[in-house]
Amino acid sequence: MGNRVMCMKKKDIITSNVRDGSRSKRVNRSQRKLLSDEEMLHRRALSMAINQAQLSQRFDGSMSKRVGSTSSRRRPLSDPFSNNKQVPDFSESLTVKKFILVHGEGFGAWCWYKTLASLEESGLSPVTVDLAGSGFNMTDANSVSTLEEYSKPLIELLQDLPEEEKVILVGHSTGGASVSYALEQFPEKISKAIYICATMVSDGQRPFDVFADELGSAERFMKESQFLIYGNGKDKPATGFMFEKQHMKSLYFNQSPNKDIALSMISMRPVPLGPMMEKISLSAERYGKGRRFYVQTLDDLALSPDVQEKVVRENSPEGVYKIKGSDHCPFFSKPQSLHKILLEIAHIP
């Protein structure tokens, strides 16, 4: 542990010259069915997002555990992103089958709909969670001032696990800070932690510091940013931020399908600022003993490959994976690649 390793040699990963998602010139009947299945998944997620936007005042704080799932039944030999090839069921060889998927800033459990479905189809047990003020959790984002408050739904989920049960935590973007916080609180409950183009911070570092090369220093951002939200009044400190739609499209979704961009535009919510600016305390005795893996996205404009490389260099995860052709949202732009990586990490002894 502590030594970086380059992993994955499958066609979607950087070690290959074959482009992920390439289609044959002739779309046969089985491929059309796959496209139809994926479209159905998207329609379900989009429908839920629209309901959220229209009926948000009716929801109280909650966790979304099966957003976008096509079925509660297990179909282990059918992978919706495998070009209809029969894939072996490896789940029986796993000691830890439960994944908890943690979204990043502005997102919610809804963003994992493809990943959720593909993991379920592989015989695993994924769970998604809405952090405070995100997704279907109707906590006012302006009232969330600490990482502890922001991560509370995740912490409660871990607390409710049976005593001997372990999970694999997956964090996207700033969700990595919540994963690190959880790893510090419950190292005995977390088998592995996977950071996807995420804020894998060092002890005493702020999640925002990872983005400093992209957005400027925290002090400059707080003073000059046009995206800040003052939920308690202009005379009080900023409580959150949210990029304009055009900025979000260019930063987050430069490789994602248009339908997923549309889903995101009606679903993303303001980001609580306090948790982003809080220095995290991480100990060698608890967090330091966790098994951490990092997934780099090489066409990312929100967190550049150079910055991600710096994060990896400074924090020494056990394994490093790189996805070529992925923007900041590989669950949209490269779901097949991400799915393969998650399965690969799950099977590491």
Side-chain angles (χ1 to χ4, degrees), residues 52 64 67 101-113 128-131 133-137 150 172 263-264 267-269 331-332:
Q52 174 190 330
S64 303
V67 178
L101 308 175
V102 184
H103 61 83
E105 70 284 356
F107 293 88
W110 53 267
C111 74
W112 296 107
Y113 78 95
T128 58
V129 59
D130 285 317
L131 299 176
S134 307
F136 284 93
N137 185 302
Y150 187 53
H172 170 244
L263 170 64
S264 301
S267 304
M268 294 185 76
R269 295 177 60 186
F331 40 75
F332 290 154

Side-chain angles (χ1 to χ4, degrees), residues 48 59-67 100-103 108-110 127-139 150-161:
M48 295 186 77
F59 289 107
D60 54 7
S62 63
M63 288 180 286
S64 303
K65 294 189 177 181
R66 298 180 68 82
V67 178
I100 298 180
L101 308 175
V102 184
H103 61 83
W110 53 267
V127 175
T128 58
V129 59
D130 285 317
L131 299 176
S134 307
F136 284 93
N137 185 302
M138 288 298 112
T139 302
Y150 187 53
S151 306
K152 185 178 178 181
L154 172 61
I155 298 303
E156 290 177 343
L157 188 57
L158 291 170
Q159 287 174 333
D160 290 341
L161 288 174

Side-chain angles (χ1 to χ4, degrees), residues 50-51 64 77 99 123 134 170 177 187 189 205 216 225 241 245 263-264 282 288 332:
I50 292 173
N51 286 336
S64 303
L77 297 183
F99 285 73
S134 307
V170 181
K189 290 181 177 289
Q205 191 177 22
S225 176
F241 74 92
K245 288 185 177 181
L263 170 64
S264 301
L282 301 172
F332 290 154

